[in-house]
Amino acid sequence: PSSTSMPIDASGDPVNLERFDGGSLAVQEITMSFGPLKVLHGVSFEVAQGEVVCIIGPSGSGKSTALRCMNRLEQPTGGDILLDGESTLTMSADLLRQRVGMVFQQFNLFPHRTVLDNMTLPLRRVKKLSKEVAREWALAGLAQVGLSDKATYRPVQLSGGQQQRVAIARALAMRPEAMLFDEATSALDPELVKGVLSLMADLAQRGMTMAVVTHEMGFARRAAHRVVFMDQGQVVEDGPPDQIFDDPQSPRLKAFLAEVL
Ligand code: ADP
Ligand code: MG
């Protein structure tokens, strides 16, 4: 549906009810080293189609590295990662990044180019869309995050929360089958975190397949279908949020929760 057919909520923002039709992700026994330093020791977890999996764990436990392997920003040294049953390790990185979008702590926008330019650039370069079609897809992406009115703004004119929503829109504009979020709210001022989390919860409700590395335990509890706890390059526990937060099994998860909750 086009942005013009969208219903409007009480605050005047469009409400997008369109469902995503994504793909599943399966991380299978991946290993990864930086030189002599082994940082992933056979990490496995799955994100079923339309499911949200939150990945939690101490700093340095390998969460970002695992996520970056899922988008081939790092190449795992062993194991496999499947998108809808198909190995991503033999796909071109460009194609994989069209199919699996990623959102970072830093928004990585060009600060002095318009929001629309920021969004059409990758669509033209990677998707090879014409100027007109790229514009159409970009505007559809902006509508998904409720920022249709900011197309001609520059990121420097937007709040951090709005910039992160643009970064999410830029990923969505590619029409990905799954999305990866690496601490997407960690760089935001506290009062701006909620808006980005509620956008992520909205995407989740609409059926986006999502792997979310986060420190926001409230979000993990509310929005995740499953929570994966990593420590020292391994998955130590994997289960529904109730189990992970209310009935942790391992001493390592108990210690982690005691620190963060
Ligand atoms: P997390 O996201 O859970 O904080 P990371 O995946 O960033 O953990 O890091 C896991 C380990 O890999 C850490 O010991 C970190 O220092 C190391 N590491 C991460 N990126 C690099 C890199 N580019 N080069 C060398 N070591 C790295
Ligand atoms: Mg990290």
Side-chain angles (χ1 to χ4, degrees):
S2 73
S3 56
T4 50
S5 68
M6 245 178 255
I8 303 291
D9 76 8
S11 66
D13 288 333
V15 180
N16 197 330
L17 304 173
E18 191 189 343
R19 296 276 311 164
F20 294 108
D21 180 24
S24 62
L25 289 165
V27 176
Q28 299 180 333
E29 290 290 322
I30 57 169
T31 54
M32 172 73 200
S33 304
F34 291 108
L37 181 68
K38 282 197 89 180
V39 298
L40 299 178
H41 306 271
V43 165
S44 302
F45 60 88
E46 288 189 22
V47 190
Q49 179 185 352
E51 205 177 51
V52 179
V53 170
C54 284
I55 302 158
I56 63 171
S59 180
S61 57
K63 305 180 300 295
S64 292
T65 304
L67 216 59
R68 291 168 64 84
C69 285
M70 295 166 80
N71 210 20
R72 198 92 63 68
L73 293 169
E74 308 290 355
Q75 178 86 35
T77 49
D80 204 353
I81 299 169
L82 310 183
L83 172 59
D84 249 350
E86 182 187 351
S87 174
T88 62
L89 296 185
T90 51
M91 261 175 221
S92 85
D94 257 2
L95 176 64
L96 175 61
R97 287 173 205 155
Q98 292 175 50
R99 296 181 63 184
V100 179
M102 186 153 176
V103 176
F104 302 88
Q105 187 173 329
Q106 291 81 16
F107 327 124
N108 303 326
L109 300 170
F110 297 107
H112 298 289
R113 305 195 69 150
T114 65
V115 164
L116 198 59
D117 282 351
N118 267 283
M119 297 184 60
T120 52
L121 232 66
L123 287 169
R124 299 199 61 192
R125 198 173 44 215
V126 181
K127 282 266 186 205
K128 314 276 184 233
L129 300 182
S130 71
K131 205 170 167 184
E132 294 70 30
V133 176
R135 185 186 154 80
E136 204 175 291
W137 285 37
L139 291 174
L142 271 184
Q144 308 247 17
V145 305
L147 289 178
S148 296
D149 57 334
K150 298 290 191 283
T152 60
Y153 283 56
R154 290 158 211 281
V156 286
Q157 299 172 297
L158 302 176
S159 74
Q162 288 171 329
Q163 289 184 53
Q164 189 59 299
R165 282 157 66 191
V166 170
I168 294 171
R170 181 178 54 181
L172 289 173
M174 291 273 177
R175 306 185 179 179
E177 291 157 60
M179 291 274 285
L180 312 173
F181 294 84
D182 192 0
E183 307 209 13
T185 60
S186 295
L188 299 177
D189 291 334
E191 73 274 18
L192 302 176
V193 168
K194 218 172 133 183
V196 171
L197 290 181
S198 70
L199 169 60
M200 289 166 63
D202 172 58
L203 300 179
Q205 285 208 318
R206 290 166 49 205
M208 179 58 81
T209 302
M210 294 168 43
V212 182
V213 171
T214 186
H215 286 141
E216 297 287 338
M217 297 301 143
F219 177 82
R221 193 188 265 278
R222 283 191 311 276
H225 295 90
R226 277 181 314 102
V227 177
V228 170
F229 170 63
M230 283 184 66
D231 191 25
Q232 297 180 14
Q234 292 176 313
V235 173
V236 177
E237 285 193 43
D238 178 345
D242 286 359
Q243 182 191 312
I244 295 292
F245 292 113
D246 300 331
D247 190 21
Q249 302 295 309
S250 62
R252 287 197 269 177
L253 176 53
K254 286 178 189 169
F256 175 74
L257 293 176
E259 294 236 322
V260 298
L261 289 182

